[in-house]
Amino acid sequence: MIPTVGYAALAARGDLQPYRFERRELDDTEVLLAILRCGLCHSDVHMVDDDWGFSPYPLVPGHEIVGRVRAVGPRVDRFRAGDIAAIGCMIDSCRVCRHCEAGLEQYCDLGPTSTFGGYEPGSQRPIHGGFSSCYVVDQRFAVSVPNGMDLAAAAPLLCAGITTYSPLRHWKVGRGTPVGVVGIGGLGHLAIKFARAMGAEVLAITSSAAKRSDAIKLGAHEAIVSGSSDMSGFAGRLDFVLDTVSADHDIAAMLDLLRTDGTLCMLGLPKSGFKVPPMRLETKRKSIAGSIMGGMAETQDMLNFAAVHGIGADVEVMPIERINEAIARLKRNDVRYRFVLDTSSLSA
Ligand code: NAP
Ligand code: ZN
């Protein structure tokens, strides 16, 4: 067993505390990563707070992991000791269903195995996440970080990046597509960067007036404040909207921004659902859709695309010892635009 140190919540809504546990030894096709940086996603906070009702404790969150390969199993052929590699939201899937065969592991018929917050299939062994010193993962579920990428700016790409890139690709956003991004947080600020790099006409929709000028710097052509009179000026103008908001909000108002046949794609996972008057959909044949994460091959594509276009997250790096301060500030919407924890003190 591999002794590991990390930070765990011991109960719902509890502060994270130093926590020791063990990772299993490497299998033939697995790699051992010494974790260097790990992003703090709002999903980590939802899980710590048990917003979705299935969090196990002790819970070591973290699923935007970048680290250095320390060891590889004898049948590993994609990584060598010393490489910089990364792990995102999932660490396994059934590998044989139609989704896995199509590179859509995130929609695996058996459900993908999450990077933290569950149990190893067929056992009672908890799976702990990236707020820790190391991780053991099958090479299929690790990706290579392109040379020269800043590690902290790269880490959030592993969840926030792929979660926004995948639907932009699926809904064929390209040159000239009018796209809206609702919520300028970890996901939203990367959605703006990716959509812009794909050639879209980007409208940012924020609840924080103070973020409007940032949104333009991030690549949006225009930025408006949700719930304000700005909204009516953009009614019926967008083909596609990505909604990344982490809390309850007015979804119907976002639908009104769509043209005929437009799609509102939900990415946020607030704990309660939403209500939409059907009339707001039917009168212009609009759709509400959802999307989660992205497949492994697509995650590597996204990283390569990010490297070519110079895309990384705007980050505030914090030592892992200050994780509770980072969580408290994220809950207050006080970060521009992603906290990344420096875990190197744990790996030493
Ligand atoms: P985040 O950094 O906290 O960003 C969320 C943004 O939502 C905030 O920056 C804020 O943007 C807006 N917002 C927050 N509270 C609001 C409120 N009460 N009313 C209106 N707007 C509000 O969170 P994140 O890490 O980007 O994650 C966003 C959501 O996506 C979370 O629910 C997370 O669990 C989910 N998620 C889903 C997937 C997936 O695969 N589908 C993957 C990762 C995360 P403004 O200040 O601009 O309004
Ligand atoms: Zn996430």
Side-chain angles (χ1 to χ4, degrees), residues 81-117:
D83 288 352
I84 297 291
I87 304 168
C89 312
M90 60 184 165
I91 52 155
D92 212 345
S93 67
C94 84
R95 307 183 185 191
V96 295
C97 74
R98 67 208 159 107
H99 294 107
C100 290
E101 287 203 332
L104 295 168
E105 297 91 345
Q106 73 274 32
Y107 303 118
C108 172
D109 285 350
L110 298 187
T113 305
S114 296
T115 304
F116 78 97

PDB file of all heavy atoms in Angstrom, residues 81-117:
ATOM      1  N   ALA A  81       8.105   7.582 -16.157  1.00  0.00           N
ATOM      2  CA  ALA A  81       8.424   8.340 -14.942  1.00  0.00           C
ATOM      3  C   ALA A  81       8.983   9.697 -15.353  1.00  0.00           C
ATOM      4  O   ALA A  81       9.797   9.790 -16.281  1.00  0.00           O
ATOM      5  CB  ALA A  81       9.419   7.576 -14.090  1.00  0.00           C
ATOM      6  N   GLY A  82       8.521  10.741 -14.688  1.00  0.00           N
ATOM      7  CA  GLY A  82       8.991  12.093 -14.999  1.00  0.00           C
ATOM      8  C   GLY A  82       8.007  12.892 -15.836  1.00  0.00           C
ATOM      9  O   GLY A  82       8.044  14.126 -15.842  1.00  0.00           O
ATOM     10  N   ASP A  83       7.112  12.205 -16.578  1.00  0.00           N
ATOM     11  CA  ASP A  83       6.130  12.931 -17.403  1.00  0.00           C
ATOM     12  C   ASP A  83       5.183  13.753 -16.519  1.00  0.00           C
ATOM     13  O   ASP A  83       4.898  13.368 -15.377  1.00  0.00           O
ATOM     14  CB  ASP A  83       5.243  11.943 -18.197  1.00  0.00           C
ATOM     15  CG  ASP A  83       5.985  11.268 -19.332  1.00  0.00           C
ATOM     16  OD1 ASP A  83       7.126  11.654 -19.613  1.00  0.00           O
ATOM     17  OD2 ASP A  83       5.392  10.327 -19.923  1.00  0.00           O
ATOM     18  N   ILE A  84       4.658  14.835 -17.108  1.00  0.00           N
ATOM     19  CA  ILE A  84       3.567  15.570 -16.451  1.00  0.00           C
ATOM     20  C   ILE A  84       2.252  15.028 -17.027  1.00  0.00           C
ATOM     21  O   ILE A  84       2.056  15.030 -18.239  1.00  0.00           O
ATOM     22  CB  ILE A  84       3.676  17.086 -16.712  1.00  0.00           C
ATOM     23  CG1 ILE A  84       4.969  17.644 -16.106  1.00  0.00           C
ATOM     24  CG2 ILE A  84       2.462  17.815 -16.149  1.00  0.00           C
ATOM     25  CD1 ILE A  84       5.020  17.653 -14.581  1.00  0.00           C
ATOM     26  N   ALA A  85       1.404  14.525 -16.144  1.00  0.00           N
ATOM     27  CA  ALA A  85       0.137  13.930 -16.580  1.00  0.00           C
ATOM     28  C   ALA A  85      -0.994  14.500 -15.740  1.00  0.00           C
ATOM     29  O   ALA A  85      -0.760  15.196 -14.745  1.00  0.00           O
ATOM     30  CB  ALA A  85       0.203  12.417 -16.447  1.00  0.00           C
ATOM     31  N   ALA A  86      -2.215  14.197 -16.159  1.00  0.00           N
ATOM     32  CA  ALA A  86      -3.367  14.793 -15.490  1.00  0.00           C
ATOM     33  C   ALA A  86      -4.531  13.809 -15.415  1.00  0.00           C
ATOM     34  O   ALA A  86      -4.644  12.889 -16.232  1.00  0.00           O
ATOM     35  CB  ALA A  86      -3.795  16.055 -16.243  1.00  0.00           C
ATOM     36  N   ILE A  87      -5.370  14.035 -14.418  1.00  0.00           N
ATOM     37  CA  ILE A  87      -6.564  13.212 -14.186  1.00  0.00           C
ATOM     38  C   ILE A  87      -7.737  14.171 -13.987  1.00  0.00           C
ATOM     39  O   ILE A  87      -7.588  15.201 -13.329  1.00  0.00           O
ATOM     40  CB  ILE A  87      -6.399  12.348 -12.907  1.00  0.00           C
ATOM     41  CG1 ILE A  87      -5.142  11.481 -12.981  1.00  0.00           C
ATOM     42  CG2 ILE A  87      -7.635  11.475 -12.669  1.00  0.00           C
ATOM     43  CD1 ILE A  87      -4.767  10.830 -11.645  1.00  0.00           C
ATOM     44  N   GLY A  88      -8.886  13.821 -14.566  1.00  0.00           N
ATOM     45  CA  GLY A  88     -10.069  14.665 -14.422  1.00  0.00           C
ATOM     46  C   GLY A  88     -11.119  14.025 -13.540  1.00  0.00           C
ATOM     47  O   GLY A  88     -10.815  13.476 -12.482  1.00  0.00           O
ATOM     48  N   CYS A  89     -12.368  14.071 -14.026  1.00  0.00           N
ATOM     49  CA  CYS A  89     -13.502  13.706 -13.171  1.00  0.00           C
ATOM     50  C   CYS A  89     -13.713  12.209 -13.017  1.00  0.00           C
ATOM     51  O   CYS A  89     -14.442  11.774 -12.133  1.00  0.00           O
ATOM     52  CB  CYS A  89     -14.788  14.269 -13.771  1.00  0.00           C
ATOM     53  SG  CYS A  89     -14.669  15.987 -14.232  1.00  0.00           S
ATOM     54  N   MET A  90     -13.168  11.408 -13.928  1.00  0.00           N
ATOM     55  CA  MET A  90     -13.444   9.958 -13.830  1.00  0.00           C
ATOM     56  C   MET A  90     -12.159   9.163 -13.965  1.00  0.00           C
ATOM     57  O   MET A  90     -11.207   9.606 -14.610  1.00  0.00           O
ATOM     58  CB  MET A  90     -14.464   9.515 -14.883  1.00  0.00           C
ATOM     59  CG  MET A  90     -14.018   9.765 -16.295  1.00  0.00           C
ATOM     60  SD  MET A  90     -15.317   9.326 -17.474  1.00  0.00           S
ATOM     61  CE  MET A  90     -14.661  10.139 -18.923  1.00  0.00           C
ATOM     62  N   ILE A  91     -12.146   7.993 -13.337  1.00  0.00           N
ATOM     63  CA  ILE A  91     -10.929   7.162 -13.344  1.00  0.00           C
ATOM     64  C   ILE A  91     -11.179   5.766 -13.898  1.00  0.00           C
ATOM     65  O   ILE A  91     -10.253   4.956 -13.978  1.00  0.00           O
ATOM     66  CB  ILE A  91     -10.316   7.050 -11.934  1.00  0.00           C
ATOM     67  CG1 ILE A  91     -11.379   6.610 -10.934  1.00  0.00           C
ATOM     68  CG2 ILE A  91      -9.679   8.376 -11.525  1.00  0.00           C
ATOM     69  CD1 ILE A  91     -10.803   5.918  -9.745  1.00  0.00           C
ATOM     70  N   ASP A  92     -12.417   5.489 -14.296  1.00  0.00           N
ATOM     71  CA  ASP A  92     -12.672   4.196 -14.940  1.00  0.00           C
ATOM     72  C   ASP A  92     -14.091   4.204 -15.497  1.00  0.00           C
ATOM     73  O   ASP A  92     -14.883   5.118 -15.226  1.00  0.00           O
ATOM     74  CB  ASP A  92     -12.505   3.030 -13.953  1.00  0.00           C
ATOM     75  CG  ASP A  92     -11.993   1.768 -14.648  1.00  0.00           C
ATOM     76  OD1 ASP A  92     -12.051   1.708 -15.900  1.00  0.00           O
ATOM     77  OD2 ASP A  92     -11.548   0.844 -13.954  1.00  0.00           O
ATOM     78  N   SER A  93     -14.378   3.174 -16.297  1.00  0.00           N
ATOM     79  CA  SER A  93     -15.724   2.950 -16.821  1.00  0.00           C
ATOM     80  C   SER A  93     -15.746   1.484 -17.217  1.00  0.00           C
ATOM     81  O   SER A  93     -14.726   0.795 -17.081  1.00  0.00           O
ATOM     82  CB  SER A  93     -15.987   3.863 -18.030  1.00  0.00           C
ATOM     83  OG  SER A  93     -15.147   3.484 -19.103  1.00  0.00           O
ATOM     84  N   CYS A  94     -16.883   1.007 -17.725  1.00  0.00           N
ATOM     85  CA  CYS A  94     -16.938  -0.448 -18.010  1.00  0.00           C
ATOM     86  C   CYS A  94     -16.032  -0.819 -19.180  1.00  0.00           C
ATOM     87  O   CYS A  94     -15.624  -1.950 -19.323  1.00  0.00           O
ATOM     88  CB  CYS A  94     -18.377  -0.885 -18.267  1.00  0.00           C
ATOM     89  SG  CYS A  94     -18.931  -0.620 -19.966  1.00  0.00           S
ATOM     90  N   ARG A  95     -15.712   0.131 -20.035  1.00  0.00           N
ATOM     91  CA  ARG A  95     -14.784  -0.005 -21.163  1.00  0.00           C
ATOM     92  C   ARG A  95     -15.338  -0.788 -22.364  1.00  0.00           C
ATOM     93  O   ARG A  95     -14.674  -0.885 -23.384  1.00  0.00           O
ATOM     94  CB  ARG A  95     -13.452  -0.645 -20.736  1.00  0.00           C
ATOM     95  CG  ARG A  95     -12.810   0.068 -19.555  1.00  0.00           C
ATOM     96  CD  ARG A  95     -11.476  -0.533 -19.201  1.00  0.00           C
ATOM     97  NE  ARG A  95     -10.933   0.082 -17.986  1.00  0.00           N
ATOM     98  CZ  ARG A  95      -9.712  -0.097 -17.557  1.00  0.00           C
ATOM     99  NH1 ARG A  95      -8.866  -0.867 -18.232  1.00  0.00           N
ATOM    100  NH2 ARG A  95      -9.304   0.479 -16.459  1.00  0.00           N
ATOM    101  N   VAL A  96     -16.515  -1.408 -22.228  1.00  0.00           N
ATOM    102  CA  VAL A  96     -17.013  -2.248 -23.327  1.00  0.00           C
ATOM    103  C   VAL A  96     -18.394  -1.842 -23.849  1.00  0.00           C
ATOM    104  O   VAL A  96     -18.825  -2.341 -24.888  1.00  0.00           O
ATOM    105  CB  VAL A  96     -17.065  -3.750 -22.925  1.00  0.00           C
ATOM    106  CG1 VAL A  96     -15.661  -4.273 -22.676  1.00  0.00           C
ATOM    107  CG2 VAL A  96     -17.948  -3.976 -21.707  1.00  0.00           C
ATOM    108  N   CYS A  97     -19.104  -0.981 -23.154  1.00  0.00           N
ATOM    109  CA  CYS A  97     -20.453  -0.632 -23.622  1.00  0.00           C
ATOM    110  C   CYS A  97     -20.343   0.258 -24.863  1.00  0.00           C
ATOM    111  O   CYS A  97     -19.266   0.726 -25.228  1.00  0.00           O
ATOM    112  CB  CYS A  97     -21.265   0.046 -22.514  1.00  0.00           C
ATOM    113  SG  CYS A  97     -20.758   1.744 -22.177  1.00  0.00           S
ATOM    114  N   ARG A  98     -21.485   0.529 -25.486  1.00  0.00           N
ATOM    115  CA  ARG A  98     -21.455   1.324 -26.738  1.00  0.00           C
ATOM    116  C   ARG A  98     -20.902   2.722 -26.490  1.00  0.00           C
ATOM    117  O   ARG A  98     -20.251   3.303 -27.358  1.00  0.00           O
ATOM    118  CB  ARG A  98     -22.862   1.362 -27.357  1.00  0.00           C
ATOM    119  CG  ARG A  98     -23.857   2.110 -26.538  1.00  0.00           C
ATOM    120  CD  ARG A  98     -25.291   1.630 -26.719  1.00  0.00           C
ATOM    121  NE  ARG A  98     -26.055   2.052 -25.561  1.00  0.00           N
ATOM    122  CZ  ARG A  98     -26.948   3.035 -25.565  1.00  0.00           C
ATOM    123  NH1 ARG A  98     -27.232   3.656 -26.695  1.00  0.00           N
ATOM    124  NH2 ARG A  98     -27.576   3.378 -24.473  1.00  0.00           N
ATOM    125  N   HIS A  99     -21.157   3.252 -25.287  1.00  0.00           N
ATOM    126  CA  HIS A  99     -20.630   4.588 -25.005  1.00  0.00           C
ATOM    127  C   HIS A  99     -19.114   4.551 -24.865  1.00  0.00           C
ATOM    128  O   HIS A  99     -18.403   5.380 -25.447  1.00  0.00           O
ATOM    129  CB  HIS A  99     -21.250   5.153 -23.717  1.00  0.00           C
ATOM    130  CG  HIS A  99     -22.713   5.410 -23.837  1.00  0.00           C
ATOM    131  ND1 HIS A  99     -23.663   4.621 -23.238  1.00  0.00           N
ATOM    132  CD2 HIS A  99     -23.382   6.373 -24.504  1.00  0.00           C
ATOM    133  CE1 HIS A  99     -24.864   5.094 -23.536  1.00  0.00           C
ATOM    134  NE2 HIS A  99     -24.716   6.152 -24.310  1.00  0.00           N
ATOM    135  N   CYS A 100     -18.627   3.578 -24.098  1.00  0.00           N
ATOM    136  CA  CYS A 100     -17.168   3.499 -23.896  1.00  0.00           C
ATOM    137  C   CYS A 100     -16.482   3.259 -25.240  1.00  0.00           C
ATOM    138  O   CYS A 100     -15.441   3.850 -25.528  1.00  0.00           O
ATOM    139  CB  CYS A 100     -16.816   2.396 -22.907  1.00  0.00           C
ATOM    140  SG  CYS A 100     -17.319   2.815 -21.225  1.00  0.00           S
ATOM    141  N   GLU A 101     -17.079   2.398 -26.063  1.00  0.00           N
ATOM    142  CA  GLU A 101     -16.460   2.119 -27.364  1.00  0.00           C
ATOM    143  C   GLU A 101     -16.439   3.355 -28.253  1.00  0.00           C
ATOM    144  O   GLU A 101     -15.558   3.502 -29.090  1.00  0.00           O
ATOM    145  CB  GLU A 101     -17.197   0.975 -28.064  1.00  0.00           C
ATOM    146  CG  GLU A 101     -16.858  -0.339 -27.388  1.00  0.00           C
ATOM    147  CD  GLU A 101     -17.067  -1.540 -28.273  1.00  0.00           C
ATOM    148  OE1 GLU A 101     -17.924  -1.468 -29.171  1.00  0.00           O
ATOM    149  OE2 GLU A 101     -16.378  -2.545 -28.034  1.00  0.00           O
ATOM    150  N   ALA A 102     -17.396   4.230 -28.044  1.00  0.00           N
ATOM    151  CA  ALA A 102     -17.453   5.451 -28.865  1.00  0.00           C
ATOM    152  C   ALA A 102     -16.651   6.598 -28.239  1.00  0.00           C
ATOM    153  O   ALA A 102     -16.744   7.738 -28.708  1.00  0.00           O
ATOM    154  CB  ALA A 102     -18.914   5.868 -29.056  1.00  0.00           C
ATOM    155  N   GLY A 103     -15.914   6.319 -27.181  1.00  0.00           N
ATOM    156  CA  GLY A 103     -15.135   7.387 -26.542  1.00  0.00           C
ATOM    157  C   GLY A 103     -15.989   8.306 -25.690  1.00  0.00           C
ATOM    158  O   GLY A 103     -15.607   9.436 -25.409  1.00  0.00           O
ATOM    159  N   LEU A 104     -17.157   7.808 -25.300  1.00  0.00           N
ATOM    160  CA  LEU A 104     -18.059   8.605 -24.451  1.00  0.00           C
ATOM    161  C   LEU A 104     -18.123   7.965 -23.068  1.00  0.00           C
ATOM    162  O   LEU A 104     -19.205   7.674 -22.540  1.00  0.00           O
ATOM    163  CB  LEU A 104     -19.459   8.654 -25.079  1.00  0.00           C
ATOM    164  CG  LEU A 104     -19.564   9.376 -26.425  1.00  0.00           C
ATOM    165  CD1 LEU A 104     -20.912   9.119 -27.098  1.00  0.00           C
ATOM    166  CD2 LEU A 104     -19.367  10.885 -26.224  1.00  0.00           C
ATOM    167  N   GLU A 105     -16.945   7.745 -22.477  1.00  0.00           N
ATOM    168  CA  GLU A 105     -16.884   7.052 -21.185  1.00  0.00           C
ATOM    169  C   GLU A 105     -17.722   7.743 -20.123  1.00  0.00           C
ATOM    170  O   GLU A 105     -18.184   7.108 -19.172  1.00  0.00           O
ATOM    171  CB  GLU A 105     -15.429   6.963 -20.692  1.00  0.00           C
ATOM    172  CG  GLU A 105     -14.499   6.148 -21.570  1.00  0.00           C
ATOM    173  CD  GLU A 105     -13.792   6.991 -22.631  1.00  0.00           C
ATOM    174  OE1 GLU A 105     -14.207   8.138 -22.888  1.00  0.00           O
ATOM    175  OE2 GLU A 105     -12.819   6.481 -23.228  1.00  0.00           O
ATOM    176  N   GLN A 106     -17.915   9.062 -20.294  1.00  0.00           N
ATOM    177  CA  GLN A 106     -18.689   9.792 -19.271  1.00  0.00           C
ATOM    178  C   GLN A 106     -20.150   9.363 -19.259  1.00  0.00           C
ATOM    179  O   GLN A 106     -20.858   9.607 -18.291  1.00  0.00           O
ATOM    180  CB  GLN A 106     -18.558  11.314 -19.479  1.00  0.00           C
ATOM    181  CG  GLN A 106     -19.300  11.914 -20.662  1.00  0.00           C
ATOM    182  CD  GLN A 106     -18.532  11.858 -21.983  1.00  0.00           C
ATOM    183  OE1 GLN A 106     -17.769  10.950 -22.239  1.00  0.00           O
ATOM    184  NE2 GLN A 106     -18.776  12.832 -22.840  1.00  0.00           N
ATOM    185  N   TYR A 107     -20.599   8.730 -20.361  1.00  0.00           N
ATOM    186  CA  TYR A 107     -21.975   8.244 -20.403  1.00  0.00           C
ATOM    187  C   TYR A 107     -22.033   6.712 -20.342  1.00  0.00           C
ATOM    188  O   TYR A 107     -23.018   6.100 -20.762  1.00  0.00           O
ATOM    189  CB  TYR A 107     -22.685   8.762 -21.669  1.00  0.00           C
ATOM    190  CG  TYR A 107     -22.666  10.270 -21.761  1.00  0.00           C
ATOM    191  CD1 TYR A 107     -22.037  10.929 -22.811  1.00  0.00           C
ATOM    192  CD2 TYR A 107     -23.256  11.038 -20.765  1.00  0.00           C
ATOM    193  CE1 TYR A 107     -21.992  12.321 -22.873  1.00  0.00           C
ATOM    194  CE2 TYR A 107     -23.218  12.431 -20.820  1.00  0.00           C
ATOM    195  CZ  TYR A 107     -22.589  13.064 -21.868  1.00  0.00           C
ATOM    196  OH  TYR A 107     -22.546  14.440 -21.912  1.00  0.00           O
ATOM    197  N   CYS A 108     -20.984   6.088 -19.819  1.00  0.00           N
ATOM    198  CA  CYS A 108     -20.901   4.620 -19.671  1.00  0.00           C
ATOM    199  C   CYS A 108     -22.211   4.050 -19.119  1.00  0.00           C
ATOM    200  O   CYS A 108     -22.790   4.600 -18.183  1.00  0.00           O
ATOM    201  CB  CYS A 108     -19.737   4.303 -18.719  1.00  0.00           C
ATOM    202  SG  CYS A 108     -19.651   2.564 -18.245  1.00  0.00           S
ATOM    203  N   ASP A 109     -22.646   2.916 -19.705  1.00  0.00           N
ATOM    204  CA  ASP A 109     -23.902   2.303 -19.271  1.00  0.00           C
ATOM    205  C   ASP A 109     -23.894   1.966 -17.783  1.00  0.00           C
ATOM    206  O   ASP A 109     -24.938   1.976 -17.128  1.00  0.00           O
ATOM    207  CB  ASP A 109     -24.182   1.022 -20.078  1.00  0.00           C
ATOM    208  CG  ASP A 109     -24.655   1.347 -21.493  1.00  0.00           C
ATOM    209  OD1 ASP A 109     -24.941   2.533 -21.769  1.00  0.00           O
ATOM    210  OD2 ASP A 109     -24.725   0.403 -22.318  1.00  0.00           O
ATOM    211  N   LEU A 110     -22.720   1.607 -17.245  1.00  0.00           N
ATOM    212  CA  LEU A 110     -22.656   1.275 -15.816  1.00  0.00           C
ATOM    213  C   LEU A 110     -22.354   2.500 -14.969  1.00  0.00           C
ATOM    214  O   LEU A 110     -22.266   2.418 -13.753  1.00  0.00           O
ATOM    215  CB  LEU A 110     -21.585   0.208 -15.560  1.00  0.00           C
ATOM    216  CG  LEU A 110     -21.788  -1.145 -16.240  1.00  0.00           C
ATOM    217  CD1 LEU A 110     -20.754  -2.145 -15.767  1.00  0.00           C
ATOM    218  CD2 LEU A 110     -23.195  -1.677 -15.955  1.00  0.00           C
ATOM    219  N   GLY A 111     -22.155   3.611 -15.628  1.00  0.00           N
ATOM    220  CA  GLY A 111     -21.770   4.834 -14.909  1.00  0.00           C
ATOM    221  C   GLY A 111     -20.264   4.852 -14.748  1.00  0.00           C
ATOM    222  O   GLY A 111     -19.675   3.850 -14.353  1.00  0.00           O
ATOM    223  N   PRO A 112     -19.631   5.973 -15.082  1.00  0.00           N
ATOM    224  CA  PRO A 112     -18.185   6.053 -14.903  1.00  0.00           C
ATOM    225  C   PRO A 112     -17.840   6.045 -13.408  1.00  0.00           C
ATOM    226  O   PRO A 112     -18.672   6.410 -12.588  1.00  0.00           O
ATOM    227  CB  PRO A 112     -17.820   7.398 -15.543  1.00  0.00           C
ATOM    228  CG  PRO A 112     -19.075   8.200 -15.498  1.00  0.00           C
ATOM    229  CD  PRO A 112     -20.224   7.239 -15.557  1.00  0.00           C
ATOM    230  N   THR A 113     -16.633   5.624 -13.089  1.00  0.00           N
ATOM    231  CA  THR A 113     -16.169   5.680 -11.693  1.00  0.00           C
ATOM    232  C   THR A 113     -15.591   7.068 -11.450  1.00  0.00           C
ATOM    233  O   THR A 113     -14.687   7.503 -12.172  1.00  0.00           O
ATOM    234  CB  THR A 113     -15.066   4.622 -11.456  1.00  0.00           C
ATOM    235  OG1 THR A 113     -15.580   3.350 -11.849  1.00  0.00           O
ATOM    236  CG2 THR A 113     -14.642   4.587  -9.994  1.00  0.00           C
ATOM    237  N   SER A 114     -16.132   7.752 -10.455  1.00  0.00           N
ATOM    238  CA  SER A 114     -15.688   9.124 -10.187  1.00  0.00           C
ATOM    239  C   SER A 114     -14.332   9.135  -9.495  1.00  0.00           C
ATOM    240  O   SER A 114     -13.975   8.196  -8.780  1.00  0.00           O
ATOM    241  CB  SER A 114     -16.691   9.850  -9.292  1.00  0.00           C
ATOM    242  OG  SER A 114     -17.905   9.962  -9.972  1.00  0.00           O
ATOM    243  N   THR A 115     -13.620  10.230  -9.701  1.00  0.00           N
ATOM    244  CA  THR A 115     -12.268  10.392  -9.156  1.00  0.00           C
ATOM    245  C   THR A 115     -12.275  10.439  -7.630  1.00  0.00           C
ATOM    246  O   THR A 115     -11.279  10.131  -6.989  1.00  0.00           O
ATOM    247  CB  THR A 115     -11.645  11.663  -9.765  1.00  0.00           C
ATOM    248  OG1 THR A 115     -11.704  11.514 -11.188  1.00  0.00           O
ATOM    249  CG2 THR A 115     -10.232  11.910  -9.329  1.00  0.00           C
ATOM    250  N   PHE A 116     -13.409  10.832  -7.059  1.00  0.00           N
ATOM    251  CA  PHE A 116     -13.540  10.801  -5.595  1.00  0.00           C
ATOM    252  C   PHE A 116     -15.014  10.689  -5.247  1.00  0.00           C
ATOM    253  O   PHE A 116     -15.887  10.937  -6.085  1.00  0.00           O
ATOM    254  CB  PHE A 116     -12.952  12.068  -4.951  1.00  0.00           C
ATOM    255  CG  PHE A 116     -13.873  13.264  -5.067  1.00  0.00           C
ATOM    256  CD1 PHE A 116     -14.714  13.616  -4.018  1.00  0.00           C
ATOM    257  CD2 PHE A 116     -13.915  14.009  -6.229  1.00  0.00           C
ATOM    258  CE1 PHE A 116     -15.584  14.706  -4.132  1.00  0.00           C
ATOM    259  CE2 PHE A 116     -14.773  15.091  -6.344  1.00  0.00           C
ATOM    260  CZ  PHE A 116     -15.609  15.435  -5.296  1.00  0.00           C
ATOM    261  N   GLY A 117     -15.263  10.295  -4.007  1.00  0.00           N
ATOM    262  CA  GLY A 117     -16.638  10.341  -3.514  1.00  0.00           C
ATOM    263  C   GLY A 117     -17.420   9.070  -3.757  1.00  0.00           C
ATOM    264  O   GLY A 117     -18.634   9.063  -3.622  1.00  0.00           O
TER     265      GLY A 117
END
